[in-house]
Amino acid sequence: MDRRAVAEELGALARAALELVLPRECAGCGEPERALCHRCLARFGTPTRCEEDAPHLGAGALPTWALAAYAGPVRHAVLAWKSGGRPDLAAPLTALVAAAAAQVVPALPVGSDPLLVVPAPSAAARRRAGRFVVGELADAAGRGAAAGRRPVAVVDVLRRRASAGHLLGAAARRRDRAGAVRCLAALPSAPCLLVDDVVTTGATLAACATALGAAGGRVVGALVLARTPAPTDGAATSAAAGGPARTDRRAPRGPATNDLRVGTFNPVRTPPGWSSVVP
């Protein structure tokens, strides 16, 4: 058994032992025995267009769908998963995105072309720590999109550029934002679906679309787990923030894993090519 397998086995044993002391609870509200209780799971609804709430996307510029408002129990759950403290949230959250992709993709202007599902870039430290949650969401979206027997490939080709944006003024940051993301490989002229965990202003999605377009891709839409409510969306924010108080009990982080996921083509590690999500 190699070292990685041993580390994974020890991590699983540690998590199982911890659950005997601190039983699993809902990451959204603290309800015992479930990663996400039925009430918090229901806050992730039907995928809804949200680009009008993202100033850097604009109405209709990049069709973007979200499953929930990023507030209350939804925010608690997403943060708990991203932090690495609740790996048990991967199953319910990725299942939601797979189902959403199955609904969204048929409405996209894809035709018979293969669809490229592209995760938004994540920090190198997050990848090294095995917390590339956007990659897991992209894999799930790929599975959902492929449910209709459509040719689909998940391609992990976007990276953040090193930037000194924090040293720039606001106007300079706006000018610099368009080049904040780079694409590692030339792409065929194929439709692309961007996937991210949360959209706020839309700046990251806009930069990703620019990078993919420059590399030859054609971005037809974006799918995110949650959207930050617009300042005027008070009713939605209040509804999303409802629910009982949550208690933070975090499990230890799992071992770091290779970011080359099953069903994902990473041009840094492999020769150029596609890796289909369809078996």
Side-chain angles (χ1 to χ4, degrees):
M1 184 179 291
D2 62 23
R3 270 188 275 183
R4 179 175 299 162
V6 170
E8 290 176 353
E9 185 69 22
L10 290 176
L13 290 173
R15 287 191 292 274
L18 188 69
E19 284 192 358
L20 295 176
V21 181
L22 297 176
R24 184 170 58 176
E25 61 180 19
C26 174
C29 68
E31 185 81 14
E33 303 301 330
R34 293 179 182 274
L36 272 179
C37 70
H38 293 303
R39 183 170 49 216
C40 291
L41 197 59
R43 295 179 185 277
F44 295 89
T46 302
T48 305
R49 292 280 290 269
C50 64
E51 65 269 18
E52 291 187 2
D53 296 333
H56 290 286
L57 294 180
L62 176 62
T64 303
W65 286 262
L67 278 65
Y70 188 58
V74 168
R75 183 174 181 273
H76 297 328
V78 174
L79 284 176
W81 185 33
K82 290 176 66 172
S83 74
R86 292 294 301 268
D88 56 327
L89 292 169
L93 294 179
T94 55
L96 288 166
V97 168
Q103 296 179 58
V104 166
V105 169
L108 297 175
V110 174
S112 60
D113 293 331
L115 176 68
L116 304 185
V117 179
V118 186
S122 192
R126 185 175 293 278
R127 288 170 175 270
R128 287 194 297 269
R131 292 185 285 122
F132 186 28
V133 300
V134 179
E136 294 183 59
L137 292 176
D139 283 342
R143 289 192 296 271
R149 296 300 176 186
R150 175 185 303 280
V152 175
V154 179
V155 289
D156 180 20
V157 292
L158 295 179
R159 296 293 184 274
R160 297 183 187 274
R161 291 186 186 276
S163 174
H166 63 289
L167 301 177
L168 303 175
R173 284 199 303 273
R174 283 193 294 271
R175 290 192 300 271
D176 187 56
R177 190 175 286 117
V181 175
R182 61 192 176 95
C183 187
L184 299 178
L187 299 176
S189 181
C192 301
L193 174 68
L194 279 166
V195 176
D196 206 351
D197 51 3
V198 179
V199 60
T200 303
T201 66
T204 297
L205 289 179
C208 290
T210 298
L212 289 174
R218 176 169 56 89
V219 181
V220 294
L223 178 62
V224 300
L225 194 56
R227 62 175 179 86
T228 299
T232 56
D233 197 6
T237 304
S238 298
R246 178 183 58 90
T247 303
D248 282 325
R249 293 179 184 169
R250 295 186 176 180
R253 293 179 181 177
T257 58
N258 191 322
D259 66 292
L260 182 61
R261 306 175 318 283
V262 174
T264 300
F265 155 57
N266 186 333
V268 171
R269 297 175 181 269
T270 63
W274 289 5
S275 178
S276 178
V277 204
V278 183

